[in-house]
Amino acid sequence: MSSRPGLRRWPAALLGVLALVTALAAGHLVAGFVGVNASPYLAVGNGAIDLTPVQLKDFAVRTFGTYDKLVLLSGMAVVMVLVAAVAGLLSRRTPVPGLVVVTGFGLVGLVAVYARPDLGAVALLAPVASLVAGVATFAFLHRLARRDAAPDASRRTVLLAGAGVVVGAGVAGLGGQLLAGSRDAAASREAVGRLVPARTAPMIPADADFAKLGTPSFVTPNAGFYRVDTALTVPQVRTEDWSLRLHGMVDREIRYRYGDIRNRPLVERTITMTCVSNEVGGTYVSTANFVGVDLADLLEEAGVRPGAEQLYSSSVDGWTSGSPVAAARDRARGAMLAIGMNGEPLPIEHGFPARLVIPGLYGYVSATKWVTDLEVTTWRARQAYWLKRGWAQEAPIKTESRIDTPKGFETVPAGKVRVAGIAWAQHTGVAKVEVRMDGGPWREAMLSHEVNLNTWRMWWLEFDAAPGGHQVVCRATDKSGYTQTEMRAGTVPDGATGWHSIAFTTR
Ligand SMILES: Nc1nc2c(c(=O)[nH]1)N[C@H]1C(S)=C(S)[C@@H](COP(=O)(O)O)O[C@H]1N2
Ligand SMILES: [Mo]
């Protein structure tokens, strides 16, 4: 036992937090060199995303939307700071409890980085740096603090050391951030320039949407296009570093460089994408003019062998997807390896330099972003990311419709009330949309000009509404004759069903 007095509470807790911050900053700095996702904090976050049960993930996406990842990172930060503070508190006499906790944190970071499918062995340098920096900082500051806690000692040394540690951690963390940023893909994307398709998509006629009557615009601007992925940090891939390997059950394995794709005659197609996590009435549906090459061409060049069932695609970040080979090869469907979106190179968050887009299938089985590997295989041989987590193997987009105007619980003037929205039945086509107010008869809505079978259609109609509360419901019928079922189904395992209804008030 030491005869010297123990540390006071606050300094002790602060010691733990300082060691934590230093550890994270050191890891972040090294990650600046070896790849931003090696940063232990991000690796633990990414690991947590992959391990989260599907119901909880669905809840997070529903509740926090695009902020789900911010919520996760903030939650992690709070928990870590609390644990570090408690570790400090337990170390008022001996540094051992603090050292054990800091080491524990370090090991969690190490395991998380090791387990990432997208990180190689050198990435382990980042969590190792964290571990060493955390342990060293804690031991060092603890020693100084114990010395300064003696009745006759000044507290200056430990204060100075603490300030030094804070500054050092700040510089390291910032340095890591700058290093990671300097190698990002923005400049590479700028350098691509305008993509001019050899075959442009047919002009979208003015009556393809009823934007003035309260529907979305037909083409979604890139900035407004929904975004869904598991990536905590958007993968930064430069065209010069990108390649696509096409292999598996093929006659010839092929590797495409960016120029090999960019310099082909490019096609442009207008396609409406939908996420399987879209709730009835949800916003995970958008339309763009995608520019790229026919996936069928690439598959033909490689020569697909008989018995192939699945096109198993992988992203640089380790995310995987399985699409039916038949859908990928079907020229009538028009599956693409896309490199452009609405006249620009793909935005980085939408998959730059290249992604898949297979019309008519939910995004998780058709739309791999930052795609670098295509393996032609069977369903049994490979299980993709979401399949392993309880979602369906095959997931064609379900026929659905949504009311956009009025907004739910909106108050509008009594009299003629305009109801407007969207409907989609990709690759089948929307035949009609019916709307009903207050349990009255179904009335057929006016449909917008059909752009192609793979896109949404807009609709509107007017009701006479007396002052008071009202409810409207819509349902679409597709060109196969199928009318949307009223039966409510959740998003898991293969997409939500049910009629969208909203309540509004007239005055
Ligand atoms: N690499 C990668 N690609 C991905 C995903 C992902 O998590 N990682 N999510 C998929 C899902 S679930 C959907 S709905 C679409 C969404 O594409 P967007 O973000 O461009 O709208 O991307 C798909 N491609
Ligand atoms: Mo999705």
Side-chain angles (χ1 to χ4, degrees), residues 162-416:
V165 163
V166 168
V167 171
V171 168
L174 214 69
Q177 198 65 27
L178 288 176
L179 274 169
S182 71
R183 292 194 290 127
D184 73 14
S188 170
R189 181 172 177 272
E190 284 297 310
V192 171
R194 251 196 106 68
L195 296 167
V196 183
R199 268 192 292 150
T200 52
M203 263 273 282
I204 291 165
D207 56 351
D209 66 36
F210 300 129
K212 292 201 181 83
L213 306 181
T215 71
S217 61
F218 192 84
V219 169
T220 316
N222 284 351
F225 202 99
Y226 83 89
R227 179 184 162 201
V228 171
D229 53 61
T230 59
L232 262 183
T233 50
V234 179
Q236 303 287 326
V237 187
R238 299 180 301 181
T239 54
E240 50 272 42
D241 303 327
W242 180 85
S243 73
L244 178 67
R245 179 173 172 233
L246 174 51
H247 63 112
M249 295 171 69
V250 294
D251 297 331
R252 291 162 289 284
E253 175 173 333
I254 308 180
R255 185 181 287 275
Y256 298 97
R257 312 289 319 189
Y258 189 76
D260 300 335
I261 303 296
R262 166 116 173 61
N263 297 331
R264 289 173 174 245
L266 299 173
V267 297
E268 183 182 42
R269 296 204 179 102
T270 312
I271 298 165
T272 298
M273 282 184 38
T274 310
C275 180
V276 71
S277 296
N278 194 48
E279 301 275 328
V280 172
T283 57
Y284 293 153
V285 51
S286 303
T287 300
N289 288 307
F290 289 98
V291 174
V293 299
D294 272 305
L295 202 50
D297 285 344
L298 307 187
L299 291 169
E300 199 175 290
E301 282 164 26
V304 173
R305 295 234 175 103
E309 299 166 331
Q310 177 180 205
L311 182 65
Y312 180 80
S313 51
S314 309
S315 158
V316 276
D317 65 358
W319 188 85
T320 57
S321 166
S323 319
V325 167
R329 293 173 84 179
D330 176 10
R331 294 194 177 270
R333 191 180 284 266
M336 305 173 75
L337 175 72
I339 59 171
M341 187 172 173
N342 295 331
E344 297 173 17
L346 281 178
I348 295 172
E349 61 276 21
H350 292 292
F352 179 81
R355 75 175 307 169
L356 297 186
V357 182
I358 307 178
L361 311 180
Y362 284 121
Y364 82 105
V365 290
S366 70
T368 308
K369 306 193 269 190
W370 315 289
V371 65
T372 57
D373 192 286
L374 297 177
E375 181 179 353
V376 179
T377 181
T378 59
W379 289 117
R380 284 196 58 192
R382 293 270 182 271
Q383 272 92 45
Y385 187 93
W386 286 116
L387 180 62
K388 280 193 222 148
R389 290 163 175 79
W391 296 76
Q393 175 176 289
E394 299 207 35
I397 298 172
K398 295 180 179 175
T399 300
E400 273 290 330
S401 54
R402 180 182 87 189
I403 301 161
D404 285 72
T405 298
K407 298 276 165 236
F409 306 110
E410 198 182 343
T411 300
V412 297
K416 289 229 176 296

Side-chain angles (χ1 to χ4, degrees), residues 51-85:
L51 292 176
T52 304
V54 57
Q55 285 81 3
L56 185 58
K57 191 141 38 183
D58 219 39
F59 164 81
V61 171
R62 265 205 318 276
T63 316
F64 305 116
T66 335
Y67 294 107
D68 57 340
K69 289 164 191 133
L70 194 65
V71 170
L72 171 76
L73 286 179
S74 317
M76 272 171 50
V78 170
V79 170
M80 288 168 71
V81 165
L82 286 178
V83 173

